[in-house]
């Protein structure tokens, strides 16, 4: 498979940018330009890959990533189904638009205690991730469902198609590029929501490690947890970017 010069240039520039960032991190840490709370990258990597801490990080990753995955899947399902509902029944759209906006406007840190009472401490991260993903997917899907052309909509109407048939055969394929973009941008939102939720009394996860490290001034542990969460989020974001490129090439 051949790679065009434009794609090759993009890959090289991306790699150079990452290397510059990591080098800058190391320089700032070694020279303590940001104080004691900014350790060198090498110190963080040595701490993170210490065999004695592997079990700790693996347990935290399993707990956090499972909450991220569950919140991402549930938020996507609810967001897409709600967008489809308001598309088929337009009279519901003004009310659900406002409801989604109001829910998204409430700070997640204010909703966490409510989820602890209604659900469970261990599920608070998943609930916040679900809300974050729901809003992104709802906005992306409702916008994407309006992408089909008037000519095509008129053709389906002339042929006597039901609103549901038009949704599945015309509007949904036209909305795929916007939906995949929404799925891509929902990934960091899911990670932020899940980790934030773990700050509120969860017994495991990367968020718990961050809180514990901050309270005990364990800077390498704090940055290790941040590094793992950020790296996982960026990898998933990159994978979804590849899918987005394929979908745009096929449907846009």
């Amino acid at each position: 498979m051949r790679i065009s010069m434009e794609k090759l240039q993009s890959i090289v520039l991306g790699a150079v940018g990452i290397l510059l960032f990591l080098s800058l991190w190391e320089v700032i840490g070694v020279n303590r330009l940001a104080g004691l709370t900014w350790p060198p990258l090498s110190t963080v990597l040595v701490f993170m890959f210490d065999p004695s801490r592997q079990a700790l990080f693996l347990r935290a990753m399993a707990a956090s990533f499972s909450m991220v995955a569950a919140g991402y899947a549930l938020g996507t399902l609810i967001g897409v189904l709600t967008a489809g509902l308001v598309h088929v029944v337009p009279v519901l759209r003004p009310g659900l638009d406002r409801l989604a906006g109001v829910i998204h406007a409430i700070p997640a840190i204010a909703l966490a205690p409510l989820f602890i009472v209604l659900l469970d401490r261990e599920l608070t991260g998943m609930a916040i991730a679900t809300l974050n993903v729901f809003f992104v997917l709802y906005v992306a899907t409702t916008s994407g469902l309006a992408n089909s052309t008037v000519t095509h909509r008129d053709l389906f109407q002339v042929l006597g198609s039901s609103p549901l048939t038009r949704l599945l055969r015309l509007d949904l394929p036209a909305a795929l590029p916007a939906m995949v973009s929404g799925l891509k941008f929902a990934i960091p939102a899911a990670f932020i929501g899940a980790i934030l939720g773990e700050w509120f009394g969860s017994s495991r996860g990367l968020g718990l490690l961050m809180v514990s490290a901050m309270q005990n001034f364990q800077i390498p542990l704090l940055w290790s947890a941040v590094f793992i969460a950020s790296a996982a989020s960026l990898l998933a974001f990159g994978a979804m970017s590849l899918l987005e490129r394929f979908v745009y090439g096929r449907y846009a």
Side-chain angles (χ1 to χ4, degrees), residues 21-238:
F21 172 74
L22 296 179
S23 301
L24 186 62
W25 181 347
E26 179 72 12
V27 170
I28 292 174
V30 168
N31 295 284
R32 296 188 175 181
L33 299 178
L36 295 175
T37 56
W38 187 296
L41 175 61
S42 55
T43 301
V44 175
L45 293 178
V46 168
F47 184 90
M48 193 167 60
F49 288 105
D50 187 325
S52 65
R53 300 186 180 95
Q54 294 299 303
L56 172 68
F57 286 124
L58 288 176
R59 282 197 303 271
M61 288 164 60
S64 293
F65 294 168
S66 62
M67 290 297 104
V68 171
Y72 186 78
L74 194 56
T76 298
L77 181 65
I78 297 173
V80 171
L81 288 180
T82 308
L85 176 64
V86 300
H87 186 72
V88 176
V89 189
V91 69
L92 297 176
R93 178 160 186 174
L96 285 175
D97 279 356
R98 293 188 183 92
L99 178 63
V102 168
I103 293 175
H104 188 66
I106 300 174
I109 199 168
L111 292 173
L114 182 64
F115 289 133
I116 291 174
V117 174
L118 295 178
L119 301 173
D120 185 83
R121 289 181 183 276
E122 306 299 336
L123 298 178
T124 301
M126 184 197 71
I128 297 177
T130 299
L131 280 184
N132 289 350
V133 174
F134 157 74
F135 184 76
V136 176
L137 263 297
Y138 176 75
V139 172
T141 307
T142 50
S143 301
L145 288 174
N147 283 342
S148 57
T149 64
V150 176
T151 304
H152 286 138
R153 287 198 292 269
D154 289 344
L155 177 61
F156 271 68
Q157 188 171 2
V158 168
L159 294 175
S161 300
S162 66
L164 183 59
T165 301
R166 199 186 77 179
L167 171 68
L168 297 178
R169 300 286 181 84
L170 175 64
D171 297 332
L172 201 55
L176 278 179
M179 290 172 65
V180 174
S181 294
L183 286 169
K184 183 179 74 172
F185 289 107
I187 287 174
F191 272 87
I192 292 171
I195 290 175
L196 179 63
E198 289 172 350
W199 290 11
F200 293 87
S202 177
S203 63
R204 53 187 178 171
L206 294 171
L208 175 65
L209 286 187
M210 292 177 193
V211 172
S212 175
M214 284 188 290
Q215 292 174 343
N216 297 289
F217 205 68
Q218 294 175 293
I219 302 304
L221 176 60
L222 170 63
W223 280 89
S224 296
V226 171
F227 185 90
I228 292 171
S230 302
S233 178
L234 286 174
L235 285 174
F237 189 87

